[in-house]
Amino acid sequence: MLLQTLNRALNILKLEKNTYEEISKDRSSVFGSGVVILLAGLVNVYLFKAFILPTLPNDVPLIPIFLIWIFFNWYVFSNVILIIVKAIGGTQNLKNKRIVFSLIGFSNTAEIFKILIIFFPNFIVIISWSILMLVIASQVVGVKQIYKLDKISTAVGVVIASYIAQFFIIGLLVFILIKLAY
């Protein structure tokens, strides 16, 4: 299973369309995508600790940061994509949430390569933006393939709308938490 997960992750990086079909048909693919998203979360939390935490006035507990990252980047984002695909009239694979969790988990494979920032800290912006573009591209290809959308522009719209919706969800939660704190 580990070799299959590694092979799928590498194929996702190459944007191979058949891989998305494969993960949509394999019931165990959600476990492989879980491994990928956990590794990506660990890399991001480590980078947070190394580059951002030293500049904050108070210590921030890393385990909650890790869990929040996983929650929003896997669970919330997957559900938002599914809702938007349903809203635009998608017809394929809409009842199986496991498929969208697998898609989003594997699409975060590129996030693991942020570890390069440790070796090339002067290129933090270039590496971060490049990896974000690769993640978005893999999500667009995956949404188009798995949900059988006619146009790539529709898949781009679904992914961009999902990021915007997730941004507003996070903003709303922060607003509510701030109001509750006072």
Side-chain angles (χ1 to χ4, degrees), residues 61-111:
L62 295 178
I63 292 176
I65 298 290
F66 173 73
L67 295 174
I68 289 168
W69 191 93
I70 297 289
F71 177 73
F72 280 105
N73 285 294
W74 199 24
Y75 182 79
V76 172
F77 193 70
S78 295
N79 283 301
V80 169
I81 279 193
L82 197 55
I83 289 167
I84 292 175
V85 168
K86 285 179 184 178
I88 65 164
T91 57
Q92 188 85 11
N93 297 318
L94 296 175
K95 299 208 185 300
N96 193 341
K97 283 189 176 186
R98 176 195 51 78
I99 293 171
V100 74
F101 283 116
S102 296
L103 161 67
I104 298 306
F106 276 112
S107 72
N108 277 284
T109 299
E111 290 279 339

